């Protein structure tokens, strides 16, 4: 399937964050963060450290981005958001 055909199913939206303020963090994410006695900031720095130090993971992200014709930053953003707010352990990123 060519990019033109693929693009016909896309909805174009303006760039940038359109929220005036950050949406609330889901209660389940807040509960997990408290249960593991950590902070969002600590989890954020853990996933950034993992991405900075794990060249194999970075290459897998680049390969996946190439396979789907997207910029790798979209996958990185998903990783950072998911591991900051939803996953209790950054070690799960390696699997």
């Amino acid at each position: 399937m060519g990019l033109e055909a693929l693009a016909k199913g896309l909805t174009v939206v303006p760039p940038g964050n359109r929220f005036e303020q950050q949406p609330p963090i889901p209660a389940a994410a807040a509960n997990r963060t408290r249960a593991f006695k950590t902070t969002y900031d600590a989890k954020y720095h853990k996933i950034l450290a993992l991405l900075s130090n794990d060249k194999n993971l970075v290459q897998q992200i680049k390969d996946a981005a190439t396979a789907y014709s997207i910029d790798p930053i979209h996958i990185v953003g998903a990783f950072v958001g998911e591991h900051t707010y939803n996953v209790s352990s950054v070690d799960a990123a390696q699997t």
Side-chain angles (χ1 to χ4, degrees):
M1 176 185 308
L3 289 179
E4 283 184 35
L6 187 62
K8 289 182 184 193
L10 299 177
T11 302
V12 178
V13 296
N17 184 352
R18 292 181 305 278
F19 290 108
E20 290 185 24
Q21 56 186 339
Q22 180 175 331
I25 296 169
N31 292 340
R32 270 192 304 277
T33 300
R34 267 192 306 278
F36 285 92
K37 295 179 174 61
T38 188
T39 65
Y40 300 116
D41 192 50
K43 293 193 297 180
Y44 170 79
H45 287 289
K46 275 186 163 183
I47 189 63
L48 287 185
L50 176 66
L51 289 166
S52 295
N53 297 319
D54 190 333
K55 302 305 176 202
N56 185 45
L57 178 59
V58 171
Q59 188 57 54
Q60 289 176 0
I61 290 169
K62 289 178 180 179
D63 292 345
T66 298
Y68 290 97
S69 300
I70 62 173
D71 190 309
I73 195 67
H74 299 298
I75 297 172
V76 169
F79 262 92
V80 171
E82 186 68 19
H83 289 275
T84 299
Y85 293 103
N86 294 327
V87 177
S88 318
S89 172
V90 172
D91 293 332
Q94 295 173 338
T95 58

